Amino acid sequence: MQEIVDKAISYLNSAKPFVMPTETVYGLAVDAQNELAVQEVYKIKNRPKLNPLISHYADIEEIKKDVELDQRAIDIFSKLSPGPITLVLNKTKNSRISNLVSAGLNTAAVRIPDCEITLEILRKFKAPVAAPSANLSTELSPTQKEHVEKSLAGKVDFIIDAGKTKCGLESTILDLSSKKAVILRFGTITSQEIEAVINEEVYLKDDEGKLKAPGMMLKHYAPKTPLRMNAVEAGENEALIAFGEVDLKNGFKEVINISPSGDLAQAASNLFSVIHQLDDKAYDSIAVVTIPAIGIGLAINDRLKRATRV
Ligand code: TXA
Ligand code: MG
């Protein structure tokens, strides 16, 4: 492990992007202070420059140097981190996060990922590491090394393999840069869990939220094969993603159940890898059964909607 950590540090120090695992999805990592390195990340991903990046840290002491923490932020980091939650906060006067990372905004997105090797790299680097998901812009996020290789073939030469990611969906993004706490992106940490920690109402992504998270445009996370939701019967040459006891085998070319027991966390963890898997085959379309829109189901439905390309 030490060898890999040292290699990652040398990549960070020489402005060379590499891929690091997290508990959510794999990230394309660079030093968040280095504009040239950050520029390279936007170029590799073909990502619009108005879509800011998340900076990753090992602990709250380092985060404090770059963004203003109020009591709510301190409570969230103490109780829910390391974990799949990203906070949008106001940058400090001497913030190390480059303007390119925050896309010229006065705010920045920060998180502490729950993945041992990556935490070790961050502990040793002692500075913010910017890392968007390691896929081309608008494609599905990678939840295992092979997905990264498929999307970024020939564009990165160092991918740290930690197997399939635990959560399988990108982190929940919570905006705490103003008085109201607003969820900008659903994830495996739910609004109820956040409310229990900060003792105040959490607002869900509204029009204001959409504007504030420019990256949350539709047509994100889309596979190449057309995908449709709430399927009840099979189409021509179609595969099905099932959930729980729902079983619509009739007529589908292939059926994969992302959680036969009806566990939403398990379904979230399997979702992207199953879509990746079916997308590699020659089906005309992928159908998905109705997934309950509660708790983590909100995040699953959000990602499915984006994947439908309408
Ligand atoms: O789970 C994750 O968050 C993964 C792993 C690698 O950490 N990262 C990830 O990054 O999903 P990315 O670049 O695919 O998504 C970052 C999102 C974008 O939707 C962007 O608009 C939002 O974070 N974001 C970043 N900075 C922001 C800011 N200052 N205000 C509002 N939204 C921001
Ligand atoms: Mg992404």
Side-chain angles (χ1 to χ4, degrees):
M1 169 150 134
Q2 204 46 50
E3 233 172 73
I4 296 176
V5 171
D6 289 343
K7 185 169 172 185
I9 299 290
S10 82
Y11 269 61
L12 288 168
N13 284 331
S14 52
K16 271 168 74 180
F18 70 100
V19 176
M20 67 180 193
T22 78
E23 80 283 36
T24 58
V25 301
Y26 280 74
L28 184 59
V30 284
D31 179 355
Q33 308 166 98
N34 186 324
E35 296 249 327
L36 275 180
V38 176
Q39 217 142 22
E40 186 62 19
V41 160
Y42 279 97
K43 202 170 108 198
I44 290 176
K45 281 182 60 81
N46 195 16
R47 179 179 176 113
K49 291 254 170 67
L50 54 77
N51 188 359
L53 312 179
I54 297 173
S55 295
H56 298 68
Y57 297 82
D59 57 63
I60 198 165
E61 292 313 311
E62 288 296 325
I63 293 181
K64 253 193 220 161
K65 299 178 183 168
D66 299 329
V67 287
E68 307 281 357
L69 298 181
D70 61 12
Q71 194 54 47
R72 301 175 299 183
I74 292 169
D75 289 345
I76 286 180
F77 280 131
S78 332
K79 298 200 175 123
L80 301 177
S81 282
I85 176 95
T86 294
L87 297 185
V88 171
L89 297 160
N90 292 302
K91 288 172 87 171
T92 55
K93 201 161 146 259
N94 298 317
S95 181
R96 295 168 296 178
I97 299 171
S98 96
N99 281 327
L100 200 52
V101 167
S102 50
L105 301 169
N106 295 325
T107 57
V110 295
R111 85 178 195 92
I112 305 175
D114 186 14
C115 176
E116 205 33 59
I117 184 136
T118 292
L119 281 173
E120 194 53 38
I121 294 165
L122 296 169
R123 257 178 234 127
K124 203 155 179 196
F125 191 57
K126 290 192 169 57
V129 171
S133 51
N135 53 281
L136 296 182
S137 188
T138 77
E139 279 186 0
L140 210 60
S141 288
T143 56
Q144 56 198 66
K145 184 179 184 237
E146 294 72 23
H147 302 158
V148 179
E149 288 165 341
K150 192 169 68 172
S151 185
L152 301 183
K155 295 183 173 178
V156 278
D157 61 8
F158 179 33
I159 303 175
I160 301 174
D161 189 3
K164 192 173 161 224
T165 64
K166 198 164 51 187
C167 300
L169 291 182
E170 304 86 349
S171 60
T172 304
I173 302 182
L174 180 71
D175 185 356
L176 290 180
S177 65
S178 42
K179 241 174 137 188
K180 253 189 184 179
V182 184
I183 291 197
L184 303 181
R185 178 171 77 185
F186 294 118
T188 49
I189 290 193
T190 63
S191 56
Q192 289 86 346
E193 285 173 84
I194 296 168
E195 280 172 348
V197 171
I198 62 176
N199 283 315
E200 64 177 74
E201 190 178 352
V202 168
Y203 294 82
L204 300 186
K205 182 179 57 177
D206 46 16
D207 289 338
E208 178 200 19
K210 270 184 205 143
L211 276 180
K212 278 190 171 174
M216 298 304 297
M217 39 195 132
L218 283 171
K219 270 206 177 182
H220 226 72
Y221 318 108
K224 297 191 175 61
T225 314
L227 184 142
R228 65 187 183 98
M229 299 167 70
N230 304 316
V232 285
E233 54 189 42
E236 189 86 356
N237 189 28
E238 193 171 47
L240 179 74
I241 297 178
F243 171 81
E245 283 181 1
V246 189
D247 195 0
L248 309 174
K249 248 183 209 95
N250 227 342
F252 288 100
K253 287 273 160 11
E254 179 175 355
V255 179
I256 302 183
N257 198 319
I258 49 177
S259 176
S261 65
D263 175 350
L264 287 168
Q266 184 187 32
S269 152
N270 288 328
L271 182 71
F272 284 170
S273 59
V274 168
I275 298 178
H276 272 289
Q277 190 184 327
L278 293 174
D279 196 25
D280 288 344
K281 303 189 177 173
Y283 297 119
D284 289 348
S285 56
I286 302 168
V288 190
V289 298
T290 301
I291 310 282
I294 43 158
I296 302 172
L298 287 173
I300 297 176
N301 278 293
D302 169 74
R303 300 308 191 280
L304 286 173
K305 240 176 254 155
R306 288 167 203 287
T308 54
R309 290 175 179 268
V310 282

